[in-house]
């Protein structure tokens, strides 16, 4: 971890760059640029925040973050705003259905076409439309989280169509 000065051509301090050591997807160490900041104080704060996230396992890297890691990070953040029963329900859908199917896929490579095919696979395997829609909603929320964190530019889940739920009394 370090804070490096980035000098302008005129020799005056221009910006402060924050670098930290983090674990990559294969378990090795990788130096990551957290950002460049106008003041040393802002850089020190960003470094502290990044180290806290790294130590908690919630520091995400856009190039190596998998769907499983994104879902775990999103759910850890979401747990502060929902009940423990809701977290348990979300965790069940994530662990039982989403992670085995697409958990190892990098978030940057997941496409709407692959997700739509996965919905069909789940349907053919006998999952109910309600369960598939639940998986769709969890994925959509997690990928919205990734967009907010600027890990990806667009949420591919928004380009899919989950199955419709049957209307009550019309089965």
């Amino acid at each position: 971890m370090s804070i490096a000065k980035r000098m302008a051509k005129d020799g005056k301090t221009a910006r402060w760059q924050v670098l930290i050591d983090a674990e990559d997807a294969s378990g090795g160490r990788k130096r990551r640029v957290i950002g460049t900041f106008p003041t040393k104080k802002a850089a020190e704060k960003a470094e502290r925040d990044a180290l806290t996230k790294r130590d908690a396992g919630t520091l995400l890297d856009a190039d190596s973050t998998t769907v499983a890691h994104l879902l775990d990070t999103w759910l850890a953040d979401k747990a502060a705003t929902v009940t423990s029963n809701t977290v348990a329900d979300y965790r069940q859908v994530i662990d039982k259905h989403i992670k085995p199917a697409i958990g190892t896929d990098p978030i940057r490579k997941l496409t709407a076409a692959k997700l739509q095919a996965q919905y069909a696979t789940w349907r053919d395997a006998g999952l109910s439309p309600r369960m598939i829609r639940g998986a769709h909603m969890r994925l959509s929320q997690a990928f919205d989280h990734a967009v907010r964190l600027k890990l990806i530019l667009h949420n591919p889940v928004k380009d899919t169509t989950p199955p419709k739920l049957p209307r009550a009394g019309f089965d």
Side-chain angles (χ1 to χ4, degrees):
M1 67 196 140
S2 68
I3 298 176
K5 260 187 199 181
R6 297 293 172 211
M7 303 299 284
K9 290 182 182 179
D10 62 6
K12 296 181 180 177
T13 300
R15 310 274 290 167
W16 298 86
Q17 187 177 49
V18 177
L19 304 155
I20 66 164
D21 293 327
E23 192 172 303
D24 65 11
S26 64
R29 292 176 59 102
K30 178 181 175 184
R31 182 153 272 208
R32 286 199 41 214
V33 175
I34 299 303
T36 306
F37 303 89
T39 65
K40 187 172 183 179
K41 186 174 183 175
E44 289 169 343
K45 181 184 181 326
E47 181 184 40
R48 283 191 306 274
D49 292 345
L51 289 172
T52 300
K53 287 181 178 180
R54 181 194 70 187
D55 295 343
T58 59
L59 182 64
L60 299 177
D61 178 22
D63 293 327
S64 63
T65 298
T66 62
V67 172
H69 191 180
L70 174 64
L71 286 164
D72 290 340
T73 303
W74 165 76
L75 190 56
D77 289 345
K78 187 77 172 169
T81 62
V82 296
T83 67
S84 60
N85 286 341
T86 300
V87 171
D89 289 345
Y90 288 5
R91 174 62 58 202
Q92 182 180 9
V93 171
I94 289 167
D95 290 344
K96 188 172 182 181
H97 301 294
I98 300 173
K99 281 184 179 181
I102 58 172
T104 58
D105 292 359
I107 60 171
R108 287 207 168 165
K109 298 203 176 179
L110 191 66
T111 64
K114 178 161 183 165
L115 282 170
Q116 202 67 55
Q118 185 58 51
Y119 296 165
T121 300
W122 282 333
R123 185 192 65 236
D124 294 345
L127 259 63
S128 70
R130 180 174 299 285
M131 184 62 73
I132 298 169
R133 284 186 79 84
H136 170 82
M137 289 171 31
R138 302 312 153 249
L139 283 165
S140 184
Q141 292 171 356
F143 274 83
D144 281 344
H145 182 72
V147 170
R148 283 191 302 275
L149 295 175
K150 296 183 180 14
L151 296 172
I152 54 176
L153 296 176
H154 175 71
N155 179 348
V157 184
K158 301 270 186 204
D159 298 330
T160 63
T161 306
K164 295 200 180 295
L165 296 177
R167 290 179 26 179
F170 293 98
D171 290 338

